[in-house]
Amino acid sequence: MKFFLIAGAINALLSVAFGAFGAHMLEGRVADKYLDTWQTAVQYQMFHAVGLIVVGILMSSSLIGTLGSLSWAGYLMLAGIIVFSGSLYVLSLTGISILGAITPIGGVAFIAGWIMLIIAASKAL
């Protein structure tokens, strides 16, 4: 529970910081398509930071508790942030287009994480 709450809060903080960095430091320094890519990374990082916080809250013993599928949901969301958003951040800064091939792996992790959250909720509620 504590891990996912902290991971979610850290990722929310980083998402805000990266969003500000992109808006103020990258504008005029990278192509508009890379600014859009950066913004996509920021948005998905924030969405899933909130998802991690939700997972952490649901792990409370008064709600769902420590269910394996709930842990998997959190770990998959965290992996998705690292792979999906991380690859887009690096792509935006470097222009290395091959990184675009890695991004969908993070997207699959996001989808799998939400599926695991559905499974956890259906088992517990």
Side-chain angles (χ1 to χ4, degrees):
M1 176 179 163
K2 181 179 176 181
F3 173 78
F4 293 119
L5 289 172
I6 292 170
I10 289 170
N11 275 285
L13 176 148
L14 289 173
S15 179
V16 172
F18 290 164
F21 176 80
H24 299 291
M25 299 300 292
L26 295 181
E27 191 171 357
R29 293 190 171 115
V30 300
D32 286 345
K33 72 177 184 173
Y34 290 130
L35 281 177
D36 291 341
T37 300
W38 185 273
Q39 186 60 32
T40 298
V42 167
Q43 288 175 343
Y44 276 80
Q45 184 174 5
M46 182 58 84
F47 295 151
H48 291 87
V50 172
L52 287 170
I53 293 168
V54 167
V55 167
I57 291 169
L58 290 174
M59 290 181 102
S60 166
S61 59
S62 62
L63 295 173
I64 292 179
T66 54
L67 200 61
S69 51
L70 198 51
S71 290
W72 271 104
Y75 287 121
L76 285 163
M77 286 183 193
L78 185 56
I81 290 170
I82 293 166
V83 176
F84 183 90
S85 294
S87 66
L88 292 181
Y89 289 135
V90 175
L91 170 64
S92 297
L93 294 174
T94 66
I96 300 172
S97 59
I98 191 70
L99 291 170
I102 297 168
T103 306
I105 297 168
V108 170
F110 284 151
I111 293 166
W114 289 109
I115 289 170
M116 295 308 289
L117 183 56
I118 293 165
I119 291 169
S122 66
K123 284 181 181 179
L125 303 175

